[in-house]
Amino acid sequence: MELRDQIMGIVDEIGNSEDKLIEILISVQKKSEHHYLSEQSLILIAELLNIPFSKVYGIASFYSMLSTKKRGKYVIQICNSTPCYLYKGKEIVNMFEDILGIKMGEVTQDGLISLEYTSCIGACDQAPAIRVNDRVYGNLDRGKIYKVITSIRRGEL
Amino acid sequence: MSVQVTINGYNVSVEEGTSILNAAKQLDIKIPTLCYHPDQIVKGNCRVCVVEVEGMRNLAAACCTPVKEGMIIRTNSKRVRDARRTVVELIMAGHNQECLTCVRNGNCELQDLCSDLNIHSVPFDNVSERLPIDDSNPSIERDMSKCIKCGRCVQVCNCIQTVGAIYNVGRSSLMHIAPAFEKPLNQVPCVYCGQCINVCPVGAIYEKNDVDKVLDVLEDKTKHVVVQIAPAVRVSLGEEFGMEPGSIITGKIVTALRMLGFDKVFDTDFAADLTIIEEGNELIDRLNNNGKLPMITSCSPGWIRYIEYFYPEFLENLSTCKSPQQMFGAIAKSYYAEKEDIDPAHMTVVSIMPCTAKKAEAVRDEMKSCGYQDVDYVLTTRELGSMIKKAGIELNELREEAFDVPLGITTGAGVIFGATGGVMEAALRTVYEVVTNEELNNINFTQVRGLEGVKESEIPVGDLKVKVAVAHGLSHARELLERLKRGEAEYHFIEIMCCPGGCIGGGGQPKPLTNEIREKRIKAIYEADLGMPLRRSHNNPAIQALYDDFLEQPLGEKSHHLLHTHYTERKKYELNV
Amino acid sequence: MAKLISELCELVHPLSVEDYTKQGGFSALEKTFKIPPEDVIKEISDSKLVGRGGAAFPSGIKMNVVAKEQNEIKYVICNADEGEPGTFKDKYLLNHVPFQIIEGMIIAGYAVGAHYGYIYIRGEYPDTHALLKRAIQELKKNQYLGNNIMDSGFNFNIELRAGTGAYVCGEETALIESIEGKGGDPRLKFPYTAVRGLWDKPTLVNNVETLANFCVVMNIGAEKYKMLGTDNSKGTKLFSVSGCVNKKGVYELEFGTSLRELIDTYCGGIEDDKAIKFVQVGGSSGGVFPAHMLDIALDYESFRKYGVGLGSGAVFVADESICIVDFLKATMKFFQHESCGKCTPCREGNRHIVKILDRISEGKGKMNDIKILLSICNAMIETALCGLGQSAPTALLTCIEYFRDEIEEHIHGYCRTGVCKFGKEGY
């Protein structure tokens, strides 16, 4: 019932017209501890907005910031657009994979951290840059990467 | 306002706003297309129809570029040919090219395109994804390795049928057409109408093929195999053999089915007549005894699945009559078996249907009231076509034979079941005469015929003005039900057919299928009706004998047991929070 | 540096109406309200301002089409879906002078007869989103949004909508689809957005920087505005510079400034005094210029001579350590990821280009591959449905033109930068 109440609350606040679908999806994902849209939540949204489930899923799957797969509590997104990728971006991918012991696209076993790529996040002047949930970290090097990961693990982020 | 344009050096005057594609048609210039479908909203996805327009920087897609005064267009310059060729090659590289074993071999729009454009090799790696074929349900299979992402199926499912079982998923090169979370069709609210099959330009969606099962049972000497053919089949099967749409070939089909080895060749029209007697009496009963109104027809299994999924609040409005296909099976395995002294356990009923949903209808749990599954196998019109070809029967040249008796004795009222409005018209012919005891002067209820989405009429029957409505295509059904829900309309009797045009436009029918072809098949249906000596179901002597010898009376105990059914609300998805 | 549109950026607190008005904010709107809408459009047209989002379409003409549509409901949309790699100038404006952008929207609304506006902000800018939300609240509170703004009798309201990870939504029809709650598939070219846009109503879509320019034009007047820039590129442009320069960031320059001047004078030259290999202007959809072409002037006409555009004004500077094939792979993977998937050439073309570049970078390429790449590029430019597919091959085409040797070297199994590691089967 918790999920139902939560989503009904969001739809009440944003509105249930079809054009609000994306705002609702963003909002529901934001409230999800693991930054994703579960099947059940998409079904509920489909019901409340009276849109076919397949369409809700289709639209959610179009946008790369929305996920229908469970992710870590912290989603580390490494920019792989040219200004970052060519500007030490490749190296920091290796560093993250090394330190976390997972590959890009995977989640740490404890479910804490996901590693993903993202297209340009507009932090090209601080290349190489990453996003951790909503925050951007730039000019990364090994030291800064350790700092970010340590503060995630300590729950300081 | 009309404008002058020049295409490949020739001038043509067309209405402003006409697409380049249609303007070219007036000069007998064919611009190749792929995603374009004349009955659909223009999508402009495939980019095969590109042409050169003077003054435009890039090539223009002819399907979605309106002409302007003075436009100079070239449809066949080197620039056009080169770009178009690469586009088609890119499509082919994403397509599983196992053409020889494809269900569409020889009748494929992509194959035709390759042939027309003279493409003999593709310079790109083949990147089609070999995902497992979805064969989760009795009606429809999907092989997405063949999908070329034209979007026709999505449009027909979402806009024409308002079912929404599938949608575009993901984006870019990962974009694919699928139900939510890539579930198989049997786990989503698909009604199995097969309209997606009819618009698919390639072989990505097709019916579940049951031909071999039928061929096997025909070999089985212990089985008495009877076959029934639906009204729509006789006006469309010819297209599988290159005949003009709307060719009426009933007699040839009968001969072919006999040659294939069926023990008896019967007609679904017989069961359609029976349906009219039962359903007509049910309507009279509901009208006289304060029954649930409006009563809505129940012949179309795609429509039944739709109402069970999307409008369960209207289930009580459905006529409890089984569809003609199922009535036929039940009567064959009871009345006919008894009459001919055949053990129904050794009888197989095969039906030839214009429909993919019929395959799923036949295996519904409710459809076993005679003690056996009413109908054992259902083949589509297309499957029958392939079965006839496989057997080496030259249908075009074949002599014409007559149906077997008694389940092959029929009326024109049974034939018109194949077109939208036909069930309504057949019912009105009977209900009027039964209620008033007068003969109708004009039995042609033309106001319920034709391709208009929702048709309404008022017919005086005795003291009562019977208000009727007819809808075909589920978006029109939805429109009608929504009006009922809002209390904006009131009817006594409604006919709804799942597929646009009715059964002649069914998901099992020959391809291509456009509204133009639907019109021709419909015309043929009414011609067939005119050609019948009897045109009222209640005048069918075989039906009269059936009641006299077996059923006793309409809506009687045996009818109730054998010919009527019930419906169940279906959940669109598993929601457990 | 000619600071016109970014003049107030470091001078005002972004959310202080008092700061903004003290520094001359809303004076453009005041001037706007004193003249009839058609005169506002005339002023914008006379200024020769063109859209700063990438397509460089004359702003006045677009306004005029929307203004002429007879429809009670019209919309103004601020396109803040800045997704072009290497571009961060809109973020800079929005973070520093959100009021100026909104002022520009009100001017546009007044000019075309629209009373409702949307700001579509990309999901990757959550802080900017939050700031804009507060900016709208502030302006409502101070009656710069709502009814009878500045006693003009003109009403205007704004709603904020967020993107959520789709570069293609920067394309105006895809953006409109997204506001309507759908996937970001671009619409067909006809009818134009200005005639049938958001919810089929006449819609004016402008980039953030263009809106900022409306304020400048109305403030200083078209005559004065036109004096800046070159013959065919009037005013100033924001450039987002990234890569191996010493001072990365956003720079406002008069059109006509040379690329070399931007890099050497404003950006303090190249890190560690390395040599420049190439500069890509316009983001990933922009063309590549090798080191010997850096004297090119940053204006529309100079770029047009080379068959490329200025695009969003992103400037990515690459030194000699960058491998051209590696660069192209990253660029084309971006487009493969960001294509909406609707039209064939873009959906399939990008994927095959990436496949071919992949094999070239592994030393498995064939000489014929370059020909195949060119045929895909041609089909994409000629037939793609929207600007994304049409411009995606630009970098590849310019690299084949200027760096063909280096690509062919890879086909022969050699990477001069040592970035590409070939397996044994490579050569």
Side-chain angles (χ1 to χ4, degrees):
Chain A
M1 240 23 221
E2 215 173 283
L3 184 67
R4 184 182 280 268
D5 291 344
Q6 192 184 67
I7 291 177
M8 281 174 74
I10 288 169
V11 173
D12 268 353
E13 195 194 314
I14 297 177
N16 68 349
S17 56
E18 209 173 322
D19 63 301
K20 300 286 170 44
L21 174 63
I22 293 166
E23 297 284 312
I24 290 166
L25 292 172
I26 293 170
S27 187
V28 170
Q29 175 165 302
K30 206 170 250 171
K31 292 240 163 80
S32 144
E33 195 185 10
H34 288 274
H35 308 279
Y36 85 119
L37 296 157
S38 66
E39 189 176 326
Q40 289 295 312
S41 61
L42 290 184
I43 291 174
L44 276 166
I45 294 168
E47 286 264 289
L48 293 167
L49 271 66
N50 198 17
I51 301 175
F53 179 31
S54 65
K55 188 171 174 182
V56 172
Y57 176 71
I59 289 170
S61 69
F62 184 91
Y63 293 97
S64 60
M65 285 175 71
L66 300 176
S67 175
T68 52
K69 291 195 184 82
K70 198 170 170 180
R71 300 150 110 186
K73 282 186 188 171
Y74 294 86
V75 182
I76 298 179
Q77 294 184 307
I78 305 175
C79 174
N80 68 345
S81 291
T82 36
C84 280
Y85 169 83
L86 295 174
Y87 208 82
K88 299 176 197 146
K90 269 187 286 187
E91 284 87 338
I92 69 163
V93 168
N94 291 337
M95 290 177 204
F96 272 108
E97 287 184 339
D98 263 7
I99 297 167
L100 293 173
I102 55 170
K103 294 277 167 206
M104 294 301 292
E106 293 178 349
V107 188
T108 53
Q109 258 188 344
D110 56 3
L112 190 66
I113 300 172
S114 293
L115 262 188
E116 297 175 1
Y117 283 116
T118 174
S119 289
C120 183
I121 51 176
C124 328
D125 51 347
Q126 310 157 52
I130 61 164
R131 259 160 61 91
V132 181
N133 296 351
D134 262 355
R135 276 177 73 179
V136 171
Y137 298 84
N139 298 314
L140 287 185
D141 52 28
R142 189 171 279 274
K144 279 192 185 162
I145 291 172
Y146 266 115
K147 243 181 164 169
V148 169
I149 292 174
T150 313
S151 42
I152 288 174
R153 290 210 167 124
R154 287 194 186 141
E156 290 166 3
L157 268 194
Chain B
M1 207 179 81
S2 76
V3 293
Q4 281 275 333
V5 295
T6 308
I7 306 179
N8 301 348
Y10 290 89
N11 292 328
V12 64
S13 170
V14 291
E15 203 48 36
E16 193 177 6
T18 308
S19 68
I20 293 176
L21 182 70
N22 286 330
K25 271 183 198 153
Q26 300 199 14
L27 286 169
D28 295 320
I29 294 168
K30 178 183 162 194
I31 297 170
T33 56
L34 193 55
C35 68
Y36 176 81
H37 189 286
D39 305 342
Q40 293 200 341
I41 300 164
V42 172
K43 295 170 284 300
N45 294 346
C46 75
R47 317 308 282 178
V48 168
C49 67
V50 286
V51 297
E52 203 176 331
V53 177
E54 247 176 48
M56 279 196 191
R57 195 161 46 99
N58 308 324
L59 298 178
C63 67
C64 54
T65 305
V67 293
K68 272 194 201 148
E69 177 63 37
M71 219 180 222
I72 298 171
I73 299 154
R74 277 180 288 274
T75 71
N76 188 33
S77 59
K78 178 169 165 41
R79 193 179 151 204
V80 169
R81 284 195 306 266
D82 285 351
R84 188 182 282 159
R85 182 191 177 88
T86 305
V87 168
V88 175
E89 286 168 349
L90 286 169
I91 292 170
M92 289 171 70
H95 177 69
N96 172 353
Q97 292 170 34
E98 290 167 356
C99 294
L100 289 180
T101 51
C102 178
V103 60
R104 294 299 298 280
N105 188 20
N107 177 21
C108 167
E109 294 179 44
L110 183 58
Q111 237 174 21
D112 291 348
L113 195 59
C114 282
S115 163
D116 287 355
L117 300 187
N118 213 10
I119 292 173
H120 297 293
S121 65
V122 177
F124 314 120
D125 295 347
N126 193 287
V127 290
S128 65
E129 237 191 310
R130 305 299 160 105
L131 297 165
I133 291 169
D134 175 6
D135 59 355
S136 58
N137 65 88
S139 294
I140 295 170
E141 293 190 10
R142 296 174 77 246
D143 175 0
M144 289 300 102
S145 71
K146 305 243 173 88
C147 175
I148 55 163
K149 294 156 189 177
C150 68
R152 287 185 188 172
C153 57
V154 174
Q155 197 179 110
V156 88
C157 188
N158 286 271
C159 305
I160 310 280
Q161 297 296 62
T162 60
V163 168
I166 48 172
Y167 208 76
N168 295 357
V169 176
R171 68 173 190 225
S172 190
S173 49
L174 298 177
M175 192 274 274
H176 57 287
I177 316 291
F181 287 89
E182 285 77 14
K183 288 173 188 293
L185 280 185
N186 68 339
Q187 289 177 30
V188 300
C190 172
V191 303
Y192 302 147
C193 69
Q195 287 302 310
C196 52
I197 299 178
N198 283 349
V199 294
C200 181
V202 295
I205 325 173
Y206 45 88
E207 67 273 67
K208 176 159 275 180
N209 194 303
D210 293 309
V211 169
D212 286 345
K213 288 183 198 152
V214 174
L215 288 173
D216 284 351
V217 80
L218 286 171
E219 292 283 312
D220 186 343
K221 294 286 172 270
T222 67
K223 294 282 188 199
H224 179 79
V225 189
V226 306
V227 63
Q228 56 165 325
I229 72 159
V233 177
R234 68 206 64 196
V235 298
S236 51
L237 180 72
E239 292 163 44
E240 289 287 304
F241 296 86
M243 296 180 207
E244 270 300 300
S247 306
I248 306 170
I249 55 162
T250 323
K252 286 179 190 293
I253 300 175
V254 174
T255 313
L257 289 168
R258 274 206 191 100
M259 288 171 78
L260 283 167
F262 288 99
D263 294 303
K264 294 284 175 188
V265 181
F266 291 137
D267 196 348
T268 311
D269 293 11
F270 168 86
D273 283 335
L274 178 58
T275 304
I276 287 303
I277 305 302
E278 289 293 324
E279 197 163 307
N281 279 288
E282 185 185 355
L283 177 64
I284 295 166
D285 181 57
R286 288 193 191 211
L287 287 169
N288 291 339
N289 300 313
N290 265 330
K292 187 87 175 170
L293 291 171
M295 187 174 89
I296 310 179
T297 58
S298 58
C299 309
S300 165
W303 154 240
I304 295 300
R305 280 182 75 83
Y306 187 74
I307 190 171
E308 286 177 329
Y309 275 125
F310 297 94
Y311 289 93
E313 63 270 35
F314 284 103
L315 284 178
E316 278 184 37
N317 294 75
L318 281 179
S319 159
T320 58
C321 287
K322 283 183 182 174
S323 72
Q325 155 170 289
Q326 297 305 133
M327 283 200 185
F328 179 93
I331 289 298
K333 289 191 179 179
S334 56
Y335 168 68
Y336 169 74
E338 204 177 294
K339 206 171 148 81
E340 300 292 318
D341 195 20
I342 301 165
D343 179 358
H346 292 147
M347 188 189 292
T348 302
V349 175
V350 176
S351 43
I352 314 295
M353 293 284 141
C355 179
T356 44
K358 287 281 173 199
K359 287 177 184 264
E361 183 188 38
V363 295
R364 281 175 75 114
D365 282 341
E366 309 88 89
M367 299 300 172
K368 290 171 182 160
S369 48
C370 62
Y372 305 91
Q373 188 172 309
D374 296 341
V375 173
D376 298 281
Y377 302 109
V378 179
L379 300 181
T380 62
T381 310
R382 291 188 298 264
E383 283 173 282
L384 177 62
S386 80
M387 201 169 156
I388 291 173
K389 284 177 191 164
K390 196 190 264 215
I393 298 168
E394 304 264 26
L395 190 83
N396 302 51
E397 311 303 324
L398 215 55
R399 67 190 176 279
E400 299 185 13
E401 291 180 4
F403 285 108
D404 288 304
V405 293
L407 309 188
I409 298 170
T410 64
T411 73
V415 177
I416 59 174
F417 265 59
T420 166
V423 177
M424 177 60 68
E425 183 168 347
L428 290 172
R429 290 178 188 176
T430 289
V431 168
Y432 183 90
E433 297 195 354
V434 169
V435 170
T436 63
N437 253 322
E438 290 167 27
E439 194 167 313
L440 268 170
N441 291 329
N442 179 7
I443 64 166
N444 299 319
F445 291 89
T446 49
Q447 64 269 46
V448 295
R449 298 181 184 179
L451 281 184
E452 199 191 320
V454 177
K455 294 161 278 187
E456 295 171 294
S457 190
E458 270 190 18
I459 288 101
V461 178
D463 300 335
L464 182 68
K465 277 196 168 170
V466 179
K467 289 190 199 167
V468 302
V470 172
H472 60 111
L474 293 173
S475 57
H476 296 128
R478 181 181 283 260
E479 181 191 320
L480 195 59
L481 293 182
E482 287 296 330
R483 269 167 52 201
L484 284 175
K485 255 173 134 172
R486 292 194 300 264
E488 290 168 11
E490 224 175 76
Y491 305 102
H492 297 105
F493 189 31
I494 297 174
E495 177 205 296
I496 293 180
M497 290 294 154
C498 170
C499 293
C503 303
I504 51 91
Q509 288 284 69
K511 295 165 74 162
L513 179 55
T514 61
N515 281 337
E516 201 184 325
I517 292 170
R518 283 189 183 94
E519 302 261 19
K520 290 180 181 168
R521 293 179 186 163
I522 289 173
K523 195 165 159 263
I525 284 279
Y526 291 108
E527 263 170 46
D529 169 34
L530 275 176
M532 296 293 284
L534 298 174
R535 295 179 61 205
R536 297 161 170 87
S537 298
H538 54 285
N539 291 351
N540 183 336
I543 295 290
Q544 288 164 356
L546 171 65
Y547 279 102
D548 290 346
D549 302 344
F550 183 70
L551 290 174
E552 291 165 15
Q553 57 171 358
L555 309 181
E557 203 190 313
K558 268 192 185 157
S559 291
H560 181 76
H561 176 62
L562 290 170
L563 308 180
H564 290 257
T565 184
H566 60 273
Y567 312 98
T568 328
E569 178 175 356
R570 288 174 196 267
K571 291 266 167 273
K572 291 197 278 266
Y573 18 64
E574 287 292 321
L575 185 56
N576 44 36
V577 289
Chain C
M1 245 190 325
K3 276 206 166 188
L4 275 182
I5 50 178
S6 62
E7 191 190 354
L8 303 185
C9 278
E10 315 283 343
L11 292 178
V12 298
H13 185 280
L15 291 172
S16 164
V17 175
E18 201 190 334
D19 266 17
Y20 184 62
T21 41
K22 249 189 213 159
Q23 295 289 345
F26 295 117
S27 57
L29 191 57
E30 205 180 333
K31 285 176 187 160
T32 299
F33 284 150
K34 281 187 184 143
I35 56 176
E38 51 273 25
D39 288 1
V40 178
I41 297 179
K42 190 175 179 301
E43 201 67 27
I44 301 285
S45 300
D46 287 350
S47 75
K48 300 266 194 296
L49 172 67
V50 301
R52 302 291 196 240
F57 192 81
S59 303
I61 295 181
K62 199 146 106 174
M63 272 187 170
N64 214 8
V65 177
V66 180
K68 283 211 170 116
E69 283 297 309
Q70 299 293 322
N71 206 316
E72 271 181 35
I73 302 172
K74 297 177 186 178
Y75 296 103
V76 169
I77 295 176
C78 166
N79 183 348
D81 193 52
E82 179 177 59
E84 188 65 55
T87 313
F88 40 96
K89 47 106 186 168
D90 291 344
K91 183 176 77 172
Y92 179 75
L93 284 176
L94 291 166
N95 283 348
H96 288 89
V97 283
F99 295 157
Q100 188 180 336
I101 309 308
I102 294 171
E103 188 180 353
M105 287 179 76
I106 305 170
I107 292 170
Y110 177 78
V112 302
H115 300 283
Y116 211 84
Y118 284 88
I119 302 177
Y120 186 87
I121 173 92
R122 68 188 305 228
E124 289 83 348
Y125 291 171
D127 296 343
T128 311
H129 185 279
L131 185 88
L132 278 171
K133 201 171 166 183
R134 289 184 54 200
I136 292 168
Q137 282 165 359
E138 280 303 307
L139 292 187
K140 271 187 190 157
K141 210 167 73 193
N142 289 277
Q143 281 143 29
Y144 286 104
L145 282 173
N147 289 345
N148 194 21
I149 297 167
M150 297 173 91
D151 289 326
S152 62
F154 182 70
N155 310 334
F156 197 76
N157 282 295
I158 285 179
E159 202 173 312
L160 191 57
R161 289 293 175 95
T164 182
Y167 164 79
V168 69
C169 289
E171 198 279 340
E172 65 177 26
T173 62
L175 185 153
I176 286 171
E177 288 279 297
S178 188
I179 292 181
E180 291 184 4
K182 303 177 212 158
D185 287 346
R187 294 180 179 177
L188 302 174
K189 195 169 164 190
F190 304 99
Y192 290 121
T193 307
V195 178
R196 274 175 63 186
L198 185 61
W199 289 300
D200 286 342
K201 305 293 182 202
T203 304
L204 183 75
V205 187
N206 281 122
N207 167 261
V208 170
E209 188 183 343
T210 316
L211 290 165
N213 268 290
F214 290 167
C215 297
V216 175
V217 173
M218 293 316 292
N219 254 330
I220 66 173
E223 280 311 309
K224 214 170 155 193
Y225 186 89
K226 264 196 314 195
M227 282 158 47
L228 288 153
T230 62
D231 282 354
N232 288 303
S233 311
K234 298 299 182 191
T236 60
K237 175 88 192 79
L238 294 182
F239 293 94
S240 322
V241 187
S242 63
C244 61
V245 294
N246 279 316
K247 286 189 283 178
K248 291 175 262 197
V250 176
Y251 299 91
E252 182 174 355
L253 302 178
E254 208 178 324
F255 279 109
T257 312
S258 81
L259 187 50
R260 193 183 299 283
E261 193 183 346
L262 169 61
I263 294 168
D264 289 350
T265 312
Y266 295 102
C267 300
I270 305 303
E271 276 181 346
D272 307 327
D273 286 328
K274 284 196 215 154
I276 291 180
K277 179 165 186 169
F278 67 83
V279 179
Q280 184 181 30
V281 183
S284 287
S285 63
V288 161
F289 295 94
H292 69 268
M293 289 172 74
L294 298 188
D295 290 316
I296 186 170
L298 293 164
D299 57 49
Y300 296 112
E301 55 271 35
S302 302
F303 273 59
R304 208 166 292 137
K305 275 183 217 151
Y306 294 95
V308 294
L310 266 182
S312 62
V315 175
F316 171 69
V317 185
D319 64 40
E320 296 222 284
S321 69
I322 304 292
C323 163
I324 212 77
V325 175
D326 195 39
F327 160 75
L328 285 174
K329 263 167 62 176
T331 304
M332 296 317 294
K333 274 182 184 160
F334 169 78
F335 287 112
Q336 187 190 359
H337 184 249
E338 296 296 345
S339 162
C340 80
K342 179 173 167 152
C343 80
T344 309
C346 186
R347 181 186 65 237
E348 305 296 335
N350 284 309
R351 113 154 86 182
H352 285 282
I353 289 175
V354 167
K355 256 181 104 66
I356 294 167
L357 289 171
D358 266 338
R359 71 173 177 242
I360 289 177
S361 75
E362 289 162 11
K364 294 174 189 162
K366 304 177 198 82
M367 284 309 279
N368 195 39
D369 281 346
I370 294 179
K371 202 180 130 201
I372 297 176
L373 286 173
L374 287 170
S375 77
I376 301 175
C377 292
N378 176 59
M380 289 174 72
I381 292 168
E382 288 278 39
T383 74
L385 178 73
C386 83
L388 191 158
Q390 291 162 15
S391 63
T394 311
L396 177 55
L397 281 173
T398 47
C399 282
I400 290 177
E401 189 173 348
Y402 301 122
F403 294 97
R404 194 178 181 123
D405 287 358
E406 194 177 334
I407 299 172
E408 287 182 359
E409 276 169 17
H410 282 77
I411 293 173
H412 294 121
Y414 170 67
C415 173
R416 64 174 80 171
T417 61
V419 169
C420 300
K421 307 275 185 260
F422 302 115
K424 268 189 192 137
E425 65 273 34
Y427 195 30

